[in-house]
Amino acid sequence: MQNFKVVIGMYNNLPYNASGALYEQTYQGAWRPFLSGLYKFLSIKSAIYFSGAIFPWLEENHPEYMYLLVEMVRRGQVELLGGGLYNPLSPLISAQDMTGQVESLSAFIRKTTGKRPSGAWLYEYSWSSSLPSILQNSKIQYTFLPAEYFPNVEGGMEFGLPVTSEDHRKVITIFPTFESKDSENSFMPYENTLTDLQESYPECKTFIIMADGNEISMSWEKSGLESPDVLFERTFAWFQKNCLEYDTLTPIQLHKTTKSSRIVYFSQCYSRRFKEYCKKTINRLPIQNQEYIQISKQSVLDHPLVHVLYQKLNYVSTMIALFRGDKSRKKASIDDIWKAQCGDLFWIGPCGGILIPEARIAAFSSLIEAEKTIRQSRFRPYLSFDDLNFDGLKEAIFQSSVYNCYLQSGSASVSEFDSIKTGTNYACGWNDDQFSTGCFKDYIKTEGNFERDLIAVERWNMVENPREESSVLFRREFSARFEDRLLMLLCRKTYRFRNDFFSIDYELSNKNTEACLFRFCTNSEIIAAPIFEDHRFELLHHRESKALDLRSQAFFETVDGIGLSNVRKAERVLIRSDLPFSLLAKPNFLKKPSVSPQVMDVPSDSLMFEGFSIGIGWDLSIPAEGTAFFSLSVHLEH
């Protein structure tokens, strides 16, 4: 007689529009060997979750895999789980969007396999109190949360039984789930995990054991076997050999034969790795009792790159909610928004998350496309003000038929610079050393130096309604002591917007009774494409341009402008100045998460390109009570 009921499965999340190489690596290291190994053992059953971004890739690149998967689903050996179409973090999106994503993935699975999913997988186990009604409305009967969140049921009742949760009279069953990983968070064979769990929970007779496909593909080599195929064949052979003791089930079979032990109202739940990331990120702020805050949203605000994407997502979602007109256009815009809600983009996950350049660029491109879809045919440029980053201060937003430009009030910098034609946000480069993104952040440094700071010109005051239309004025007074001299300056920074370009005019007034000498710098993190080799970087001097192979840090004097373009797209960003400047430029690379931190000489294909750091500096000598004027202009050329 079989004494234990066991569900084994694999869940798979990858960012929308991540590189084909990342998809192929995970396919060869986890998806293919798992399914092909399982196919040889008809008596072993399993559960699999694929996010909606993976299915189109499989249909295009490995249709034979889809044929095999559909066959195994129809014969009852594999249960495909539903969930969010683009694996969103449920607390970060609206109930309406979550419902739409769950329903869309369920509809796809039903159309492909003929069976509607009864269970849903939550990305990183992200739970919100409204999920029972959301899932029940989509005919989802059960979901999964980490076993560590479940109460140790007393009174003779078995530990490991599912519980139910309710929202507005809509009830959902929740199964306690264990991760198949070792103490180093690497994948561990299912049979080894099961043996360890039996020792830790001798009273438990039911186990649900799931594994992350990404972790499988990155860690199977530690097993010492020649391929992941052998790894999974050994696992399934072990379960078949011990079939008299262990009965492998699909979740729907377990749900039909198991009753819930009690009702539990969970507040917030996440995977252990996501909680650790949030704790590390939130620790940048002095918040002592993190159990009282919504950690997923707080971590979004505390990472600059994630925050910029999140504020863009919320702004575009609001605009589309207000749109009245063609329903097909609105539906297309909503689908673009869903792509940008991919949970991988709102933290630095196992695959790199927001730091994966192709995923980050694609997310902004989806949101730009959503904006374009709902625009009227005759779109006129306009300047508006809204609190984008929820700090109580309004930010400036300029939109035209050529570009969008979002300004951050506190730093008077550009947080987003979108090309409407190519759907590229050129301001989403990332400097991990400085923990910085965005363009035209200003600093005052010592003369002839890009390294030694006198003061960072932050905490600007924005003047919403200057006399000139389509312009935004920032103002800042500051003082700093340097080498027994007092530096007292009044800075005015004015953005002037036109349909196809914008300019940044600087006015620096010396308020001291002595002349002052310093370098005024503005730094930008710029990216045009996810691949370094697709960039063309140009140096402009008078009317001549010179292409540079910028593979390492470089310094140039008396520069009139720079150009950056994606060689695959007929578009170039030009930054010109009316006053020659010094230039410090360098590319930024990060190791892929699969590369060990101990590896020093990392091959180029194991690096992620994060964009260029561009430092522009003017050496200024301003007499007492004097003023200096200079400006930059930013153009998009097609």
Side-chain angles (χ1 to χ4, degrees), residues 71-91:
E71 177 187 342
M72 296 174 73
V73 169
R74 288 176 176 173
R75 74 186 186 193
Q77 188 179 5
V78 169
E79 178 181 343
L80 271 181
L81 299 175
L85 182 64
Y86 295 106
N87 47 281
L89 283 162
S90 59

Side-chain angles (χ1 to χ4, degrees), residues 42 48 95 97 118 131 134 145 172 180 215-216 309 326 347 382 404 475-476 526 529 544 563 576 578 611:
L42 300 181
I48 299 178
D97 283 337
S118 299
L131 274 175
I134 292 173
L145 289 179
I172 193 81
S180 189
E215 290 182 349
I216 294 174
L309 177 61
D326 190 337
W347 69 306
Y382 71 96
N404 295 332
R475 186 177 183 276
R476 167 80 198 279
I526 301 179
E544 298 180 355
R576 294 182 177 274
D578 61 355

